[in-house]
Each structure stands twice: as structure tokens, then as C-alpha cells.
Amino acid sequence: MSVLDKKEKEGPRKLLALDGGGIRGVMTLEVLERIQSELQQRLGRGDDFVLADYFDYVAGTSTGAIIATCLSLGMRVEDIRSFYIDSGPAMFDKANLLRRYYRNKFQSEKLTKKLKDVIAGKTGEPDATLGTEALRTYFMLVLRNATTDSPWPVSNNPDAMYNDPALSDSNLKLPLWQLVRASTAAPTFFPPEVIDFEGDDGEPYEFIFVDGGVTMYNNPAFQLFLMATVKSYRLGWPTGEDKMLLVSIGTGIAADANKNLSPEEMNIVYNASSLPSAFMFAASNEQDFLCRVFGRCLNGGVLDSEVSDMSCDAGAGPVSPKLFTYMRYNADLTRSGLDALGLGHIEPRSVQQLDSVAHIPQIQEVGRAIARQVNIAHFEGFLD
């Protein structure tokens, strides 16, 4: 199946959105493995079944972009998990001390090679672009264009405005590995990615990209819904609880609450280190909240004590009837959150860090605990 096949198919549309979160992406993979297994069994499919057969549009940011790329290329979840476990230490290859102090914590060369290898292996194209026919679903990933100071949700939708093959700088001509690397270029962790373009006048120019997680779309779920339905994005898929399914998977949250914080501690260093994560947490939460307002939420944790989880609350918010069916899988990685999952033996800091490659087994354990929430009955009506 190809993007063109997805374009022509009939029936309800199924969307999958994957958050950023570094090596905590292995948490996402445990949930995806459960979804793959449940769907494979319910649909009576063999071991050749992949999630690209089921989902029509897959999106991801940062580590979610890596996983989304692999899924759209037709990889089984267990193979992506092996890629993460085997390659995780190499992906987070520490830079020398001077570079770590002044620029970034990790080198990008080994991560770049891993991305090139896996994409070339699945496409058979050493220089596969965003427009490769090997992508079996509509696919979107989020980067931040530091040059223009703007988020860039980029898709392989052949009808999108900036994907016109007649354009010399058509997005579809961009190297796929480079877009994925750019989406993972977390500031202070990895160096930015420079992508070269050619203008319509034949003059070259370049943009500098960093991790899409430092935009409003580290959780890309609601943006994915918009790109699938708003006519300006040139898809315009129909909406409705029975016409669209949106599955969103997070990599865990851990609000840095400090009841002993004093005003005197909130100096320049404190704000520089704490504000980025605070913004990312708020943005991710807002994307989830919007999805629960506009969609019928069948699964999702408590957002806050005022709105609770909004699950199956048809009257929540001003939108009625709801525009899609929605499921959110995520975990609270604080001490109380892990205890609630029955994981009292796991130290929170071990699973909170984006580069915690030494604790992959514990992160997987959290993922398997979240995966227990997957209920195949929630997918009824979307099992064509």
C-alpha cells in the first residue's frame, strides 16, 4: 500500500501521533507493540501485518519522528524496538568536554549514520527523499526552523502547497534522513541540522533546523488532526466520531514541582534551565486538552483536578457532535505516578531523563504498564 492507495481508500480515517522524548521513545514502542498485537489478532492477520496497513496518517516529533518514519516505511514494532535498544547508546554519543560546555552534549554523527542506514535499508534508496514511494502512509514530522523562528510541520502529502514537484525547493525533494535528524536536534543535546534549498531563481539558500519539541507540537496530535481536515492543507478528510480515529502516545510527563521553592532561587540560571521544560509540558498538555474537547475521549489520564480526564464526556466543551474518536496513552513519571502504575521499585529520575540509555529496561517496564490500558473494544468501528 502506498500514499496514493491511502488517498483513494474509503471508510473511516485513522491517525497516529507520537510525542517527542528522547530515549523514552521505547516507552511509546511498548504501547505500539500492544496495539499492533491486538489489531493483528482482531483482524486475523499474520506476522506480515504492520501498523502502516492500519493507520492512514502517522505523525511524530523528535524521537516520535524516528518511530513514525519507521512505521510509515512498513517496519514491525518489534524491529523498531530492537533498533532503539541496539542503537540507543550510539545515538547518545557524548561530545568532547569543550564542545559539551559551549555547544551540545552529544555528537550527531552516529545518530545520522543510524538514520541513513535504516531508511536506506527500508527504501532501497541511499538518498531517499520525503517524496519516496516507500512511505506507505501519509506522514508528518515537526521541526523548528530557527532561521525563520517558526515551527515547520512537514508532510509527504503530494497535494500540499509546498510539495509541488514543479517547485525547485519542493519539500518532497528533501532528504528524508535529514528531516528526521533535524526533528531530533534538541538544543543543548544535539547540534542543529542545516538543510540546503534551491530557490526558483536558481540561487541556493539554507535553513537551520532544531528539534520540533521546542515548538507547540512536541505532542503533534491536534496539529495532525488539523492537517488531515483543514482544507488549506489539501486533504479535507471528513470528521465525526465514526469517521476519524486519533490515537496519541506520549513519552511520559514529570512536572518539576517544588513546594520549598523560594523567590530568591528564581534567578537567571534557574529560569534558563526550567522554562523550556515548563513550556514543553504546557504545550503538550494543551494539545491533549484540545483533542479531548474536540474529540470523544475513550482513554486518557487526568489532565488536572478541574477538568479531570474528560473520558467519554460527550458534553465536554463547546463541540457537539464530536469531530473524532480519541485515545491518549501516557504516564506520570513522578513518584506518585509510578506508584499508581505498580512500579514502586523504579526510581523516577531513572526514567525521566531524555538520554537515560542506561535505564532502557525500566523505561520499557513503564511502557508495558501503560500498554495495559489498550482495549481493542475502543477500536470498534475502525476495524475495516
Side-chain angles (χ1 to χ4, degrees):
M1 185 169 285
S2 68
V3 171
L4 293 179
D5 294 321
K6 297 287 189 184
K7 180 179 179 179
E8 299 300 326
K9 66 159 281 192
E10 297 180 356
R13 294 293 182 171
K14 292 155 287 189
L15 285 58
L16 175 65
L18 308 174
D19 289 17
I23 200 61
R24 296 201 319 247
V26 297
M27 194 182 303
T28 298
L29 290 167
E30 295 300 326
V31 179
L32 286 170
E33 197 282 329
R34 178 67 180 271
I35 292 173
Q36 177 185 267
S37 176
E38 292 288 326
L39 288 172
Q40 179 178 327
Q41 182 176 355
R42 177 65 176 77
L43 296 171
R45 297 289 300 272
D47 288 341
D48 61 340
F49 174 76
V50 292
L51 290 179
D53 296 331
Y54 181 78
F55 288 102
D56 302 304
Y57 207 152
V58 181
T61 301
S62 195
T63 197
I66 297 177
I67 297 171
T69 303
C70 293
L71 290 175
S72 189
L73 288 171
M75 290 180 67
R76 293 269 297 180
V77 175
E78 53 266 38
D79 294 329
I80 307 172
R81 180 171 54 203
S82 295
F83 167 67
Y84 262 71
I85 293 172
D86 296 341
S87 305
M91 288 182 187
F92 291 90
D93 183 31
K94 285 189 176 179
N96 62 55
L97 285 173
L98 185 64
R99 188 168 181 176
R100 267 184 269 169
Y101 184 80
Y102 284 105
R103 298 192 64 185
N104 44 269
K105 189 175 181 181
F106 301 106
Q107 301 182 78
S108 62
E109 289 79 6
K110 290 184 179 179
L111 173 58
T112 296
K113 185 179 186 305
K114 294 290 184 182
L115 292 174
K116 284 183 175 180
D117 288 348
V118 74
I119 290 172
K122 291 303 296 182
T123 64
E125 307 167 44
D127 301 310
T129 66
L130 181 62
T132 178
E133 294 182 1
L135 289 169
R136 296 168 57 174
T137 70
Y138 282 89
F139 165 73
M140 185 264 281
L141 73 170
V142 183
L143 356 166
R144 177 177 175 266
N145 188 330
T147 307
T148 63
D149 194 23
S150 58
W152 266 39
V154 177
S155 84
N156 69 335
N157 174 11
D159 298 315
M161 178 182 294
Y162 295 106
N163 288 354
D164 185 344
L167 296 173
S168 59
D169 55 357
S170 168
N171 287 340
L172 293 184
K173 298 177 182 178
L174 298 175
L176 181 57
W177 73 264
Q178 201 169 23
L179 290 171
V180 179
R181 220 301 277 173
S183 184
T184 65
T188 76
F189 280 84
F190 291 102
E193 184 71 22
V194 178
I195 300 182
D196 297 318
F197 294 77
E198 181 182 333
D200 289 334
D201 57 1
E203 290 295 317
Y205 65 98
E206 64 180 30
F207 284 146
I208 301 173
F209 291 97
V210 294
D211 196 319
V214 289
T215 71
M216 281 291 292
Y217 313 122
N218 189 56
N219 170 356
F222 196 70
Q223 179 63 22
L224 174 60
F225 163 70
L226 295 177
M227 292 184 74
T229 57
V230 174
K231 289 188 177 180
S232 297
Y233 291 115
R234 302 185 180 180
L235 272 184
W237 286 347
T239 61
E241 288 182 28
D242 60 339
K243 294 183 175 64
M244 181 168 287
L245 171 68
L246 173 55
V247 178
S248 172
I249 306 177
T251 58
I253 57 173
D256 189 17
N258 181 2
K259 66 179 181 181
N260 298 315
L261 180 68
S262 68
E264 289 74 22
E265 293 178 77
M266 300 182 67
N267 52 33
I268 293 174
V269 174
Y270 170 87
N271 286 318
S273 62
S274 65
L275 287 180
S277 61
F279 289 145
M280 290 173 67
F281 172 76
S284 180
N285 198 62
E286 183 72 2
Q287 289 274 312
D288 188 11
F289 184 35
L290 288 170
C291 286
R292 300 190 199 205
V293 170
F294 285 81
R296 180 172 180 255
C297 181
L298 299 185
N299 191 84
V302 172
L303 288 169
D304 61 44
S305 58
E306 189 167 12
V307 301
S308 190
D309 63 8
M310 302 175 71
S311 294
C312 297
D313 186 354
V319 182
S320 183
K322 297 296 184 180
L323 301 182
F324 53 92
T325 293
Y326 176 66
M327 291 171 252
R328 172 73 170 170
Y329 302 100
N330 206 11
D332 176 358
L333 301 179
T334 62
R335 177 71 279 155
S336 60
L338 292 172
D339 288 346
L341 289 172
L343 302 174
H345 58 287
I346 292 180
E347 172 61 35
R349 288 188 61 83
S350 299
V351 295
Q352 290 174 355
Q353 306 304 311
L354 302 184
D355 56 347
S356 191
V357 293
H359 300 285
I360 287 177
Q362 290 92 332
I363 298 172
Q364 287 183 277
E365 201 173 344
V366 176
R368 288 192 289 270
I370 306 168
R372 291 197 291 266
Q373 300 171 21
V374 175
N375 182 350
I376 193 63
H378 291 165
F379 291 81
E380 291 297 333
F382 299 94
L383 294 171
D384 57 319

